[in-house]
Amino acid sequence: MSERPLQSLPPVLAGPILRHTTCDRLTFWLVGSCSLTLRLRLYREDAGEPWIDRELSENEVSRVRFGDHACLHLIDIEPDDALPVKTRIGYDLGVSSALSPENGDGKESWIEEWAPHLCMPGSSRPDFVIKERLDRLAHGSCRRPHSSAADGLVRMDQTLLESRSDIAKRPALMLMTGDQIYADDVAGPMLRAIHSLIDGLGLYDEVLTGSSVSDSKALRENPDTYFHREKLLPDIRSNEALVERFFGGVRKPVFTTASAHNHLIGLNEVMAMYLLVWSPVCWHLVTMEQPALSSVDAGVYQQQQAAIDEFVAGLPRASRALAHLPTYMIFDDHDVTDDWNLSALWEATTYEHPFSRRIVGNALVAYLLCQGWGNNPDAFDDIMPAIRALATSAEQGAVFDQALQDQLINQLMQFENWHYNLQTSPRIVVLDTRTHRWRSELNRARPSGLLDWEALSEFQQDIMGEKAVIVVSPAPMFGVKLIEVIQSVFTFFGKPLVVDAENWMAHRGAASVLLNIFRHSRTPETFVILSGDVHYSFAYDVRLRHRPDRPRIWQITSSGIKNEFPHTLMEWLDRINRWLYAPWSPLNWFTKRRRMRITPREPEGRDAGERLWNNAGIGIVELDEEGAPTTITQLNSRSGGTQFLEPERQDDH
């Protein structure tokens, strides 16, 4: 049990984060230090008195306890009357705990008291805007806490601050398109904070099967838990594939050097990381003494500490942005583990081993609770009883029931509703490109297609009859040709893991079906594809060669929120790509997209026709009444940014 007295803990540890928001539904995510009684107040514009003021019922608040002093609350409200559009709606949450000597007097406290950092200057509460039409969107991916880049969510907060008096300039919503956390790439100081928070909040432990440590408590106490977790796998020589997948720090000469030596393992570790990447409050609850380390590891730890300190300093503003903008999320690999479900061989190796299966399963449980649930609460009704049963099993001994945990993970491995649609104007279709994969039948080691035939058929049915659609695909559907060729070469020589060989064109069947969807006679006239993943940003105009007027397709990629591609390498790849795949180059006819004309938009302010923008930040897309982009902007996380200029002519790259 946690030794921290409950009186010393704030009532709310993280949130509220504004999630699914429409005229007839309002969803918030927050984590309390205990089970909270909640009262909601809604205000029109700057009115002094609320027009809605009521205590939330048990049917409107779902609770999942995951520690002695940690209880997740998903607030899901359907107002009696439709919420107004095109106006700022202020909201406030009054929190109180059950009357008891240890929990205080039960008096309500409000956001200005327990989370003043969520309020804009001069305001006592956050607010949001509901728009009838999606006229302006924010989007981004890849928020790595110990990256040297600044945090794009802080820049998003600055944008909201600048647009307070003009709601037309405020994004209708924000789409986070993958890698909201890096469960597989954790800085030493972050892992130290995670362990301190686990102890301080009494986050529930678990039994670990197939590892040399017996449980998650022993994992935290093991001398190899920092920077050397690969040593905790049993019989390392016979599990080299697992070492490479989870802990090997595989060198990637084309992209980056990934470090998985602090890979998160326990469910309590992943849940603690979500609290620490979204809330400044939890950083006041942790002890940051450096653990015992070798001189080499200590040097790395100190370098990472500076980046973590900057990240923490920006968290009040990052969390304020999440409290003001309706935010929707979808996973990519780093939310779980690098190269997640890359190939059929990867899946077989990983899921047949109880320890690696638990690692992936724990990340999925945490994703459901912290990300997926708020996108579309109804989709998880059938799985929530198993979640609650697991949580209840730990309330007495602070350790999850092993059988219930394995059963829940088995259910999540078969779960088919991670994807979702938003009935906005235009409609948003968010794809799950990780768990519905088209596995290679010829060679299990080859990369799988990002969607299988059934998922692609469902996608086609979802968009038929729409005039315009916004598609969220974590990996770009239309990427940089040179990088895709490099990935193909490494795949040919049996090394797809070395270069993250995951793109839509890597699997012949998936690529063919996808491109045929765009060519279908009943396909929408306007496609806007929003992507992330790659750690650089770009925009393409895409048209069919034989039918240039319909459909109109835009590939818009914003990556990362807090991550960047190696700058020198990026400049060379950009330059070589322009040389090899110029409009006149015959190499264009050897690509799967040869029937499409792809025209890159040049970022304003770059030299010599460069097409790729390599600065962390956040993307902004402005749409006209037909759902077509009028302005495509990438805001740098520190300052400045670029606009992707509309091309004067349609040429291949």
Side-chain angles (χ1 to χ4, degrees):
M1 300 287 287
S2 169
E3 297 179 357
R4 183 186 295 272
L6 186 57
Q7 295 94 321
S8 68
L9 291 171
V12 176
L13 302 171
I17 296 177
L18 185 60
R19 300 303 313 276
H20 182 59
T21 304
T22 66
C23 290
D24 53 13
R25 195 162 191 176
L26 190 55
T27 308
F28 300 96
W29 177 96
L30 67 82
V31 174
S33 56
C34 59
S35 178
L36 300 170
T37 300
L38 297 161
R39 175 177 290 273
L40 175 69
R41 290 175 177 171
L42 296 182
Y43 299 78
R44 298 180 190 271
E45 292 288 347
D46 296 317
E49 296 296 324
W51 102 83
I52 292 178
D53 182 359
R54 62 180 177 82
E55 184 174 308
L56 300 180
S57 69
E58 291 300 306
N59 292 332
E60 295 173 319
V61 183
S62 297
R63 298 173 177 85
V64 176
R65 182 178 291 278
F66 60 97
D68 294 336
H69 304 315
C71 183
L72 189 152
H73 300 66
L74 191 79
I75 303 166
D76 187 20
I77 306 160
E78 296 182 4
D80 294 333
D81 299 316
L83 299 177
V85 299
K86 295 183 180 180
T87 185
R88 284 194 297 121
I89 302 173
Y91 71 89
D92 212 344
L93 285 171
V95 303
S96 58
S97 55
L99 289 173
S100 71
E102 64 176 9
N103 287 350
D105 59 6
K107 180 182 178 181
E108 287 178 334
S109 59
W110 299 88
I111 289 177
E112 190 177 25
E113 299 172 74
W114 48 261
H117 59 278
L118 298 182
C119 304
M120 291 289 183
S123 178
S124 61
R125 65 188 74 94
D127 59 53
F128 61 91
V129 175
I130 299 172
K131 297 190 177 184
E132 293 175 296
R133 181 179 65 83
L134 300 180
D135 57 352
R136 188 176 173 91
L137 299 175
H139 68 116
S141 75
C142 306
R143 188 166 176 253
R144 181 172 173 257
H146 61 287
S147 167
S148 60
D151 191 346
L153 289 186
V154 175
R155 182 62 192 276
M156 187 69 256
D157 177 74
Q158 181 62 32
T159 300
L160 291 173
L161 189 61
E162 294 168 354
S163 65
R164 285 190 73 197
S165 60
D166 186 356
I167 62 174
K169 294 181 180 179
R170 186 170 182 159
L173 52 83
M174 179 162 60
L175 294 161
M176 302 183 77
T177 57
D179 299 342
Q180 281 67 254
I181 67 166
Y182 276 67
D184 58 338
D185 186 2
V186 181
M190 175 64 82
L191 187 58
R192 179 69 188 94
I194 287 170
H195 289 170
S196 179
L197 194 64
I198 288 171
D199 292 336
L201 299 179
L203 302 191
Y204 298 146
D205 281 307
E206 66 191 85
V207 176
L208 297 173
T209 302
S211 171
S212 58
V213 291
S214 58
D215 54 42
S216 52
K217 186 175 187 295
L219 170 69
R220 296 194 298 281
E221 297 171 348
N222 191 286
D224 291 319
T225 199
Y226 292 96
F227 297 106
H228 299 284
R229 289 192 160 196
E230 66 274 19
K231 295 181 181 179
L232 304 181
L233 275 176
D235 189 12
I236 288 178
R237 284 178 297 179
S238 65
N239 283 287
E240 291 180 1
L242 291 179
V243 173
E244 178 174 296
R245 278 154 177 66
F246 291 100
F247 306 103
V250 181
R251 294 201 60 84
K252 301 183 178 185
V254 174
F255 295 100
T256 61
T257 300
S259 175
H261 298 294
N262 288 331
H263 200 303
L264 300 183
I265 292 174
L267 176 57
N268 54 12
E269 290 184 331
V270 193
M271 293 298 293
M273 185 167 193
Y274 275 108
L275 296 179
L276 291 166
V277 300
W278 283 343
S279 173
V281 175
C282 289
W283 286 93
H284 298 300
L285 308 177
V286 301
T287 302
M288 291 299 292
E289 291 93 348
Q290 180 176 311
L293 299 171
S294 68
S295 59
V296 173
D297 292 339
V300 174
Y301 188 100
Q302 291 301 319
Q303 291 176 355
Q304 294 174 339
Q305 184 69 65
I308 291 296
D309 288 345
E310 181 181 10
F311 174 76
V312 174
L315 272 177
R317 298 194 65 182
S319 58
R320 186 165 68 181
L322 293 171
H324 281 76
L325 270 183
T327 302
Y328 298 85
M329 308 174 185
I330 189 64
F331 48 46
D332 206 5
D333 56 344
H334 295 292
D335 292 294
V336 176
T337 190
D338 192 20
D339 301 321
W340 178 30
N341 291 345
L342 175 77
S343 65
L345 180 61
W346 190 101
E347 294 184 51
T349 306
T350 302
Y351 299 142
E352 290 173 4
H353 193 287
F355 188 60
S356 54
R357 185 180 180 88
R358 177 67 66 81
I359 292 171
V360 172
N362 283 340
L364 273 176
V365 175
Y367 170 82
L368 185 159
L369 290 172
C370 298
Q371 297 195 57
W373 201 9
N375 294 324
N376 179 15
D378 296 340
F380 300 95
D381 286 347
D382 291 341
I383 207 89
M384 290 313 298
I387 293 274
R388 293 191 178 92
L390 179 64
T392 302
S393 74
E395 290 183 2
Q396 296 301 317
V399 179
F400 291 122
D401 180 278
Q402 184 177 359
L404 291 177
Q405 192 166 3
D406 289 340
Q407 290 170 16
L408 172 60
I409 289 172
N410 289 340
Q411 283 184 261
L412 291 180
M413 294 292 183
Q414 303 300 319
F415 189 69
E416 296 185 344
N417 290 310
W418 300 112
H419 62 294
Y420 57 96
N421 297 340
L422 301 178
Q423 302 303 316
T424 48
S425 178
R427 186 173 184 176
I428 296 178
V429 178
V430 181
L431 302 179
D432 161 17
T433 60
R434 284 286 160 188
T435 74
H436 290 279
R437 293 206 152 183
W438 193 330
R439 300 168 183 87
S440 173
E441 298 178 359
L442 299 177
N443 183 347
R444 294 200 309 161
R446 291 187 63 84
S448 299
L450 301 194
L451 286 182
D452 61 21
W453 184 86
E454 289 183 355
L456 283 165
S457 297
E458 183 179 347
F459 167 54
Q460 185 174 28
Q461 292 302 313
D462 285 341
I463 62 177
M464 285 296 177
E466 299 287 333
K467 287 190 174 182
V469 65
I470 297 168
V471 179
V472 174
S473 167
M477 289 184 171
F478 301 91
V480 177
K481 289 182 181 178
L482 173 65
I483 294 177
E484 292 179 354
V485 168
I486 293 172
Q487 292 171 333
S488 297
V489 171
F490 275 81
T491 298
F492 178 80
F493 287 104
K495 300 291 183 181
L497 282 169
V498 175
V499 291
D500 285 340
E502 295 179 282
N503 63 74
W504 280 92
M505 300 300 125
H507 185 280
R508 184 179 298 275
S512 176
V513 174
L514 176 70
L515 297 177
N516 282 334
I517 289 173
F518 289 120
R519 294 196 290 263
H520 194 283
S521 60
R522 292 179 54 210
T523 202
E525 297 178 4
T526 301
F527 279 93
V528 175
I529 304 164
L530 301 180
S531 303
D533 180 54
V534 293
H535 304 166
Y536 50 86
S537 303
F538 61 89
Y540 294 160
D541 290 32
V542 184
R543 304 291 183 268
L544 300 181
R545 290 185 179 275
H546 68 282
R547 198 174 61 191
D549 296 330
R550 183 179 179 275
R552 302 177 299 167
I553 305 167
W554 288 268
Q555 170 68 65
I556 305 171
T557 302
S558 176
S559 181
I561 292 175
K562 194 181 191 304
N563 214 347
E564 293 176 346
F565 204 95
H567 285 267
T568 300
L569 179 57
M570 183 81 277
E571 290 177 6
W572 277 104
L573 288 173
D574 194 357
R575 187 173 298 138
I576 295 171
N577 183 68
R578 295 199 313 272
W579 292 341
L580 293 180
Y581 293 97
W584 43 264
S585 173
L587 293 177
N588 290 307
W589 290 97
F590 291 93
T591 69
K592 296 183 179 70
R593 302 188 298 247
R594 55 188 173 271
R595 296 183 182 179
M596 293 189 158
R597 186 180 296 277
I598 301 171
T599 308
R601 292 193 172 201
E602 295 184 6
E604 189 175 31
R606 295 304 299 268
D607 299 326
E610 294 167 322
R611 285 95 178 254
L612 307 179
W613 187 255
N614 191 21
N615 283 276
I618 201 80
I620 302 290
V621 181
E622 297 180 31
L623 305 171
D624 64 19
E625 293 185 357
E626 295 181 351
T630 57
T631 306
I632 302 171
T633 305
Q634 182 70 17
L635 301 177
N636 291 352
S637 54
R638 296 194 187 276
S639 64
T642 191
Q643 181 175 323
F644 291 97
L645 303 175
E646 188 172 353
E648 296 181 0
R649 59 194 182 94
Q650 299 286 317
D651 284 331
D652 284 323
H653 70 296

